[in-house]
Amino acid sequence: MMNVRPQRKDFDMYMIPMFSPAPFIPVKGKGSRLFDQEGKDYIDFAGGIAVNALGHANAELVDAMTKQMQNVWHLGNGYTNEPVLSLAKKLVSATFADKVFFCNSGAEANEAALKLARKYALDHYGPQKNEILAFDSAFHGRTLFTVSAGGQPKYSKDFGPLPGAISHVPFNDTAAALAAINDNTCAVIVEPMQGEGGVIPAHKEFLAALRSACDRHNAVLIFDEVQTGVGRTGKLYAYMNYEVIPDVLSTAKALGGGFPIGGILTTDKFAPSLSPGTHGTTYGGNPLAATAANTVLSIVNQREFLEGVNERHNKFFVSLEAINKTASLFKDIRGMGLLIGCELADAYQGRAKELSNISAECGAIVLIAGPNVVRFAPALNIKDEEIEEGLSRFKKAVENFLTKE
Ligand SMILES: *Cc1c(COP(=O)(O)O)cnc(C)c1O
């Protein structure tokens, strides 16, 4: 039989059309470079949407995974395993947490966090304490519970009836949040920096006010660090930049460096509410996923590595500002660490996707965060020459975009 190579058009023929992927298919990666079926190379500033913390085909990850694959892939949670125990211990010693739980994705991590908050409130205060406060433009995942907590009604409105007792106020609006938190609030869920919502850092006073309101009303403060976690903002977790400590933190994306794993971190105060039988998962914390995360954490959670993230941040900022000086395409360039957003000026509203498509044509893959923001979330170990090459391609894309006018 002839071996027919899959093509992009097969996506439209065989896949449920919930995505509309790029016209090319990447087939190989090395560091922050990707190569497509035609051999064209791209600098990868998307990092698999803030996932590939160590780039593509990282030698230490390949090594660790290959070794683990020759031992045990999966056991199920009737047995524990060595990699997951090392991983749990690492996360507990590196953060505020006393206890952790592992699952497979960011949505599942937030699902577990919200279930924990409801259960804790029920156990300690009764069924009336069930209200969840979340924020406009937030993104917490695509399960029904997490998409309802998310602050973009267009993602949830067609799937009702939705889980109840979830309300939203504007992000960074301290007065509105304080007015909404009361004794029936069981949880407040917030991203320390909104990712999908447009790369918008929380104000420090805002997070600090949420912390004290949650303390006053015995509500669980959940930080969704699915995108900001694992070194992305130049600290292991973004809460460390803010010095505001959550009760529960959800983590995923970069944790496995490209292998699916998510989890929640919490303290001994809250952990007992998820006792045997209350929650679970088949794959969560399996030996392969835990091996990936162990390797990522042992590389990322080093002072020099995290300082390197901040140095790369500066390099991006200087170059992006220089590009914008001549182009005046962006009205704001913002972010922390290697999560950077460039918001289009008013004259170019709604055209971030168009610019990202042109950028890919020029050989630099970038993300968007909503219709008006171009987002950079590259590997945390991206090389200087990859940043330079990629940004010079992006500069070309900006010129092409502007000359199309
Ligand atoms: C990506 C993301 C999620 C969802 O993660 P999945 O792995 O896609 O389920 C949740 N919260 C935030 C902040 C994210 O960026």
Side-chain angles (χ1 to χ4, degrees), residues 118-132:
R118 284 259 173 93
K119 182 72 163 49
Y120 177 83
L122 178 71
D123 290 349
H124 294 268
Y125 302 97
Q128 79 294 342
K129 190 174 177 68
N130 59 30
E131 293 172 13
I132 293 165

Side-chain angles (χ1 to χ4, degrees), residues 105-108 110 139-142 191 195-196 224 226-227 252-253:
S105 68
E108 284 176 278
N110 287 324
F139 185 77
H140 300 302
R142 298 290 200 151
E191 295 157 88
E196 303 303 309
D224 178 349
V226 169
Q227 189 153 163
K253 287 202 164 89

Side-chain angles (χ1 to χ4, degrees), residues 8-24:
R8 172 59 181 81
K9 69 171 163 48
D10 294 330
F11 184 94
D12 301 325
M13 297 233 292
Y14 303 115
M15 302 279 287
I16 294 175
M18 73 180 76
F19 304 110
S20 56
F24 58 92

Side-chain angles (χ1 to χ4, degrees), residues 49-51 104-110 138-143 146 190-196 224-228 250 252-253 261-262 339 375:
I49 318 187
V51 165
N104 315 291
S105 68
E108 284 176 278
N110 287 324
F139 185 77
H140 300 302
R142 298 290 200 151
T143 64
T146 58
V190 65
E191 295 157 88
M193 172 160 60
Q194 288 193 335
E196 303 303 309
D224 178 349
E225 293 231 29
V226 169
Q227 189 153 163
T228 54
S250 55
K253 287 202 164 89
I261 180 169
L339 184 52
R375 174 172 41 148

Side-chain angles (χ1 to χ4, degrees), residues 20-24 40 42-46 329-330 342 344 348 350-377 390 393-402 404:
S20 56
F24 58 92
K40 176 176 168 177
Y42 303 82
I43 299 294
D44 183 6
F45 287 153
L329 179 59
F330 304 117
C342 300
L344 290 168
Y348 306 102
R351 296 176 62 188
K353 185 71 201 166
E354 189 185 331
L355 177 54
S356 85
N357 289 342
I358 296 175
S359 186
E361 279 164 28
C362 292
I365 296 177
V366 300
L367 293 165
I368 60 172
N372 300 319
V373 176
V374 174
R375 174 172 41 148
F376 296 81
R393 294 176 184 188
F394 180 69
K395 181 167 189 266
K396 183 84 183 94
V398 166
E399 287 159 11
N400 291 356
F401 177 84
L402 290 170
K404 271 181 61 185

